[in-house]
Amino acid sequence: MSIVTTSPPSLPPSPPAPASYSARSRTVFWLSAALLFAFLLAGLFDRDPWKADEPYSVGMVLNFFRGHDLIVPRVAADPFVEKPPVMYWTGAMLARATSGVLPVFQGAQLAVLAWLVLAVFCVGRLAQRLYGSDNFHWLAPMLMVGSFGAIENIHKLTADVPQLAGAALALAALARLARSESCARRWGLLFGTGAGIAFLSKGLLVPGVLGLTALAVLVLPAYRTRRYAAALGWAVLASLPWLIVWPVLFWRASEPLFIEWFWDNNFGRFFGFVHLGGERKSYWNDVTSLLGLTFPAGWLALGAWIAQCRQTGLRRFAAERPELAMLWLYVVLFVLTLVVSSAIRDIYMLSLFPAIAVLGAGVRLPSWLEKTWSGVALVLMSVLGVFLWVRWGLQLTGNGHVAAGPIGKWLPLDYVLPFSPGLVLAAVVVAGLWVSAIVHRRALGALVFGFAGLTFVWGTLSTLLLPWVNEARSYRTPFASLKAALAKVPHTGTSEASTCVGSFNVGESERGMLDYFIDVRPVQLPGLADASRCGVLLVLDKASSRITVPEGWQMIWQGGRAGDTNERFRAFVPSAVK
């Protein structure tokens, strides 16, 4: 492989006339744009919140939407201070602005789309500048959102999405500061703003890595200037409102909760003296996850780096391409930070993708690999897409058990899909984009064409089969059944104890969905001995352990998500009440 300074798609053997080339360029440009935004939109709307992460995120959005407390994030009735509130603020604002036409969750998803558009713009413009293309560089954003570790995570209402956007903005600004003609004030302010957005999204991890990167680039001659020092001063100034305003208000609202957020959820989770989930299984698992989840962006970036070092050598590479060297410093520091951390989850890698996507977008595939990649994408993605259409027909006609294979482990095979004209039309549009990509596959290039195939598969799954997947992952159906059961419970009085629902072993995600779907804000019980505080007891059993409820309680309901064999809810009332 070798690095080039032009866009990755290969040119045909015989250049066409200028007019036809211009027309073809416009076609490729707009087709690439349509493929990218179809991918972003597919799976973003027309569904319920899904575990993990989304249900408790929606719980916080719902509280901000209602205006209960604009400083302290809460899920149902309880504070939940794992993450800062910028995702939940923006989600609540857009949900409020669209409340007349969209449900709260659908309106909040507009914030996810807005943050993604910011990330796409920053990454595309940075790649355009680095590789000399006259048009917006669509491949880099495609690699960012289309790598295995990003496909689902970028569509979810989580704090990692604005953190991704903040990282993309900061890296784009830091790259511009390698050139002497760039305005130190403008790009310094944008770098600080990006770091500030990342901080107010999820805390210290990404701003810390960005700060280390801003210092590490001083090993590169292009950054050892007074202009860069001035830019860092502007960056600090721009980051201060993000770093100070909400934390100060949070401290004044509740000092213990502030300490829990700042110390336990930033330092405690990182160093391992507080266990909040996401602990690593093994370093080998980390390596395999990194290799698998960063495909194809990370693999292409590594190939581009090897080719460049073979051509020019490492020292010359750092001197001639300081922006690329800076991105590699960020990647190395980010990975090292994850390695030394005691807690790691796949979604933590999301802010790595802006850098490796830009690095991978500069690679030119050898002709044999270009043909192989296109051929495999054509066959594999077409087969998968057609399979999803066939699966839709089987579920639509009530024949879900036909040729199901292992699908029944995750999805309810007896579910009959409703016919949705809107989703079918969207799937037809996605299929039309795939057909157009096949027609123009040589002009698109193998990598963009591969993303077109991914859009076909992901878009078909997220339109035709979306209600089926939603039935398995949503709490709407079981909690509607719970609401009906609670409506039949006679109240013994008007006291708070007779009307409240006490929960035991019910996590923040489930409590958030109880609030969202049926307007129940359960009281967390420290132990079953405290169950008498409320008139209804709700417990959550796991497959590995069933909770033993004290005597004097009778079950009025049990249920769970379709296809979920791990979770089972049970609701009880005192025997005398029933």
Side-chain angles (χ1 to χ4, degrees):
M1 299 185 197
S2 61
I3 294 289
V4 293
T5 57
T6 55
S7 297
S10 303
L11 294 177
S14 300
S20 62
Y21 179 77
S22 177
R24 189 184 67 174
S25 296
R26 288 196 298 269
T27 300
V28 168
F29 179 87
W30 290 112
L31 179 57
S32 299
L35 287 166
L36 178 59
F37 284 98
F39 181 84
L40 295 181
L41 291 172
L44 200 60
F45 300 102
D46 203 24
R47 63 174 179 85
D48 296 324
W50 293 346
K51 288 185 70 173
D53 300 307
E54 270 193 328
Y56 69 75
S57 297
V58 174
M60 286 183 276
V61 167
L62 193 60
N63 274 282
F64 287 137
F65 175 84
R66 293 167 174 165
H68 290 165
D69 188 340
L70 299 180
I71 302 300
V72 180
R74 297 178 184 272
V75 174
D78 306 302
F80 186 73
V81 295
E82 281 193 7
K83 301 170 181 68
V86 75
M87 179 72 256
Y88 319 119
W89 279 345
T90 54
M93 289 171 57
L94 287 172
R96 173 66 67 181
T98 58
S99 59
V101 293
L102 292 175
V104 172
F105 176 60
Q106 309 298 329
Q109 286 290 77
L110 291 172
V112 177
L113 181 61
W115 289 116
L116 287 176
V117 169
L118 174 60
V120 164
F121 177 78
C122 293
V123 168
R125 287 299 301 271
L126 176 56
Q128 178 187 9
R129 179 175 178 80
L130 292 179
Y131 303 125
S133 174
D134 292 333
N135 291 326
F136 188 84
H137 204 291
W138 293 110
L139 177 58
M142 288 175 175
L143 292 175
M144 177 179 68
V145 301
S147 294
F148 287 171
I151 293 172
E152 182 181 7
N153 288 324
I154 59 110
H155 289 91
K156 296 169 71 174
L157 181 66
T158 67
D160 299 85
V161 175
Q163 181 179 243
L164 168 74
L169 175 60
L171 290 172
L174 193 56
R176 291 297 296 267
L177 289 170
R179 298 300 175 182
S180 58
E181 69 273 13
S182 299
C183 175
R185 181 174 63 180
R186 175 193 302 171
W187 298 108
L189 290 174
L190 288 176
F191 175 70
T193 300
I197 291 172
F199 170 79
L200 208 55
S201 299
K202 208 172 177 182
L204 295 173
L205 173 63
V206 171
V209 175
L210 288 170
L212 290 174
T213 305
L215 297 177
V217 295
L218 293 174
V219 302
L220 305 172
Y223 285 94
R224 291 199 299 266
T225 64
R226 291 184 178 181
R227 182 183 54 81
Y228 179 66
L232 291 184
W234 287 111
V236 171
L237 186 64
S239 66
L240 287 179
W242 302 91
L243 300 176
I244 292 178
V245 175
W246 175 75
V248 169
L249 293 174
F250 190 18
W251 172 276
R252 295 182 61 183
S254 175
E255 182 177 335
L257 289 177
F258 173 86
I259 294 174
E260 178 184 343
W261 162 71
F262 183 75
W263 186 247
D264 293 350
N265 284 285
N266 285 279
F267 296 99
R269 187 189 292 269
F270 183 86
F271 291 107
F273 57 80
V274 174
H275 300 281
L276 298 171
E279 286 78 7
R280 73 163 26 88
K281 298 176 182 178
S282 68
Y283 285 103
W284 173 247
N285 185 72
D286 293 349
V287 171
T288 55
S289 294
L290 186 65
L291 290 175
L293 296 174
T294 58
F295 180 83
W299 296 31
L300 294 171
L302 187 59
W305 178 75
I306 293 173
Q308 183 67 46
C309 288
R310 284 179 176 176
Q311 288 180 0
T312 64
L314 183 59
R315 186 170 297 180
R316 185 177 169 189
F317 167 71
E320 293 180 355
R321 305 306 300 272
E323 302 97 329
L324 297 179
M326 178 275 296
L327 291 174
W328 273 115
L329 286 172
Y330 173 82
V331 169
V332 170
L333 289 170
F334 195 101
V335 172
L336 287 176
T337 302
L338 291 181
V339 167
V340 301
S341 170
S342 65
I344 185 170
R345 289 178 56 199
D346 295 348
I347 199 171
Y348 294 175
M349 300 180 191
L350 200 58
S351 294
L352 183 65
F353 287 102
I356 60 176
V358 173
L359 292 167
V363 74
R364 172 69 63 86
L365 299 179
S367 58
W368 67 268
L369 185 54
E370 181 92 5
K371 294 177 181 179
T372 301
W373 196 302
S374 292
V376 170
L378 175 61
V379 175
L380 179 62
M381 298 306 184
S382 295
V383 169
L384 289 175
V386 170
F387 169 77
L388 293 175
W389 273 93
V390 172
R391 192 75 242 165
W392 169 75
L394 292 173
Q395 295 299 142
L396 189 69
T397 56
N399 296 300
H401 290 273
V402 176
I407 297 176
K409 294 181 180 180
W410 304 283
L411 299 171
L413 297 177
D414 55 352
Y415 179 75
V416 179
L417 269 170
F419 181 80
S420 172
L423 291 177
V424 172
L425 178 61
V428 170
V429 171
V430 169
L433 289 174
W434 175 233
V435 172
S436 298
I438 293 174
V439 173
H440 296 92
R441 62 184 181 276
R442 289 191 64 196
L444 289 172
L447 297 177
V448 175
F449 181 65
F451 180 82
L454 177 64
T455 300
F456 177 46
V457 174
W458 173 260
T460 304
L461 174 66
S462 301
T463 51
L464 290 181
L465 300 180
L466 184 62
W468 188 25
V469 178
N470 191 62
E471 180 67 18
R473 302 190 65 178
S474 170
Y475 286 102
R476 179 182 296 274
T477 298
F479 285 171
S481 175
L482 171 61
K483 183 178 182 180
L486 293 177
K488 299 177 182 178
V489 177
H491 297 300
T492 58
T494 58
S495 66
E496 181 179 348
S498 67
T499 57
C500 85
V501 175
S503 66
F504 181 75
N505 201 40
V506 179
E508 60 273 353
S509 292
E510 294 80 13
R511 297 198 306 273
M513 292 298 91
L514 284 166
D515 189 16
Y516 182 69
F517 285 125
I518 62 174
D519 199 25
V520 168
R521 310 184 88 190
V523 176
Q524 289 192 75
L525 301 176
L528 288 172
D530 302 291
S532 59
R533 292 167 50 186
C534 290
V536 177
L537 172 63
L538 181 67
V539 300
L540 174 57
D541 298 315
K542 300 291 185 178
S544 57
S545 61
R546 182 179 173 91
I547 295 171
T548 302
V549 176
E551 295 183 1
W553 292 89
Q554 293 191 19
M555 187 172 67
I556 60 168
W557 173 84
Q558 65 175 335
R561 293 180 297 173
D564 189 339
T565 58
N566 182 52
E567 293 181 350
R568 206 69 183 167
F569 295 90
R570 290 182 293 153
F572 299 83
V573 295
S575 302
V577 173
K578 185 179 180 184

